[in-house]
Amino acid sequence: MKRRLRIAESVFAGVVAFVCTVLGARSGWTQDNATVLAPNPTAVSNWAPAEVELSRFKKQTLQSVSFTAGGLLTGRDDVDVSFLQLGVGTGIPLGSFDNVVGVTPQFRVDWVDASSAFDIPSHLYTFEMQFLYRRVISERLSLIGIFSPSSRSDLTTSDNAFRVFGLGLVNWDWIPDRLTVSAGVVALGRADLPVLPALGLSWTPNRRMRLDLRFPETRFSYRVAKDGGRSEVWLYSAVGLGGNTWAVTRDNGLTDELSLRDYRLTLGIERLVDGGGGCFAECGAALGRRLEYERDPLETELADAFSLRAGWRY
């Protein structure tokens, strides 16, 4: 009855199994340096100079190959969604890796398993090209700009399928290595949400904890293992915004813009490796789900769903 969803769930289960296998195989992981050096971690600095930081970037053009899968499951006759996303990231240094232009083509397909009461396509597609510019102005000041034109539709119409996500941020290290504040503007490229101010901060009280208060996702992370300068394992909890807008053809033959929106509460585990790669698995809840069409002023409430997501990144 729900064959496409079961296929997506099988893919997700395979990714989770891979993540667990990788995590379990790393018998060389050790505790944080501060804990190893003293029985009482508070007796030493959380910023021990012997600790080696992971690099977020590779010193090559090919920066990443990523695979992500997951879904929203209700367990009832409502709207379930599963997805698969693929991406390839490249980085071009303009003189140095403090001044980088990144280009990332991405493809995503969402399979929708909906009750006949909902006028919604069974497939939604996203073709996206993300351009990222990062520049370090000084020791404390940096700029980040993201421009992502995309085509989002059910492939039956091109009316209003072209969308642009845009983000411009100025980052200031208020307290170096501890507290960074950000300000700018973000355009989500969605029909249900306008251009919004982008304000946030990143607080790192010690090497094992990090709090990112940002839109569209706020995350608290705690590091549970570290293998020198090779890899780290983090547990995290997050609150964020889900959904998107697609151009579709409705059952009556008219073209329209479909927006799905929800609020995510998630718990996850993530392994990071030197150079920006890694893998993750997470689960949680999608609350306050809404379905909205531009030609129809009414919003349709959807059932809350159980959220699953996992991925791998080279």
Side-chain angles (χ1 to χ4, degrees):
M1 179 180 177
K2 299 184 177 182
R3 185 172 58 183
R4 292 192 182 93
L5 188 58
R6 288 197 297 270
I7 293 174
E9 290 172 347
S10 298
V11 173
F12 174 82
V15 176
V16 172
F18 169 78
V19 172
C20 295
T21 301
V22 172
L23 295 178
R26 299 299 297 181
S27 59
W29 283 341
T30 62
Q31 294 174 299
D32 294 331
N33 290 348
T35 306
V36 173
L37 292 174
N40 180 8
T42 61
V44 298
S45 170
N46 286 322
W47 297 89
E51 185 168 302
V52 180
E53 294 289 336
L54 300 185
S55 173
R56 293 183 299 164
F57 308 101
K58 300 178 178 65
K59 294 184 178 180
Q60 62 186 41
T61 300
L62 179 62
Q63 287 292 307
S64 67
V65 177
S66 62
F67 166 93
T68 307
L72 301 178
L73 311 175
T74 62
R76 62 181 69 179
D77 196 19
D78 197 80
V79 176
D80 290 0
V81 181
S82 58
F83 78 91
L84 174 66
Q85 181 170 320
L86 305 172
V88 178
T90 62
I92 305 172
L94 303 180
S96 72
F97 276 90
D98 287 337
N99 188 14
V100 176
V101 173
V103 181
T104 304
Q106 298 183 101
F107 166 75
R108 171 169 170 150
V109 56
D110 288 76
W111 293 280
V112 181
D113 192 348
S115 162
S116 58
F118 298 96
D119 180 6
I120 184 171
S122 60
H123 295 76
L124 300 169
Y125 300 91
T126 302
F127 302 89
E128 184 174 11
M129 185 70 74
Q130 182 185 93
F131 299 90
L132 179 147
Y133 177 69
R134 174 178 174 268
R135 181 178 179 83
V136 176
I137 305 300
S138 66
E139 290 185 357
R140 293 195 177 189
L141 185 65
S142 64
L143 302 175
I144 292 180
I146 298 177
F147 175 72
S148 297
S150 65
S151 175
R152 307 179 203 154
S153 75
D154 61 354
L155 298 186
T156 65
T157 179
S158 59
D159 293 345
N160 297 312
F162 181 74
R163 298 280 171 177
V164 175
F165 173 92
L167 171 69
L169 280 181
V170 177
N171 302 307
W172 172 255
D173 288 341
W174 190 353
I175 303 175
D177 298 325
R178 294 292 183 96
L179 182 62
T180 300
V181 294
S182 305
V185 64
V186 58
L188 299 175
R190 295 172 53 158
D192 57 337
L193 291 171
V195 176
L196 300 170
L199 302 173
L201 64 84
S202 179
W203 179 43
T204 310
N206 55 60
R207 292 190 186 274
R208 298 183 299 276
M209 298 171 60
R210 184 170 62 243
L211 176 64
D212 293 304
L213 294 173
R214 303 184 188 279
F215 181 81
E217 181 182 80
T218 289
R219 176 183 292 203
F220 172 75
S221 305
Y222 184 81
R223 194 180 71 190
V224 295
K226 182 173 177 64
D227 182 16
R230 292 176 290 276
S231 66
E232 298 175 350
V233 180
W234 293 77
L235 298 178
Y236 64 86
S237 60
V239 179
L241 177 70
N244 219 326
T245 296
W246 297 264
V248 301
T249 301
R250 302 187 64 174
D251 290 342
N252 59 13
L254 297 177
T255 60
D256 208 336
E257 297 170 66
L258 164 69
S259 294
L260 296 176
R261 182 170 74 248
D262 60 70
Y263 302 98
R264 307 281 174 91
L265 304 175
T266 57
L267 296 173
I269 183 169
E270 181 177 29
R271 178 177 179 248
L272 303 177
V273 300
D274 190 49
C279 53
F280 76 95
E282 67 179 35
C283 63
L287 309 176
R289 300 177 69 206
R290 295 287 189 276
L291 183 156
E292 179 182 349
Y293 278 108
E294 286 301 291
R295 292 179 181 271
D296 188 344
L298 297 178
E299 291 186 2
T300 301
E301 293 187 3
L302 304 179
D304 295 339
F306 180 66
S307 172
L308 294 171
R309 201 164 68 100
W312 170 85
R313 177 185 175 97
Y314 160 74

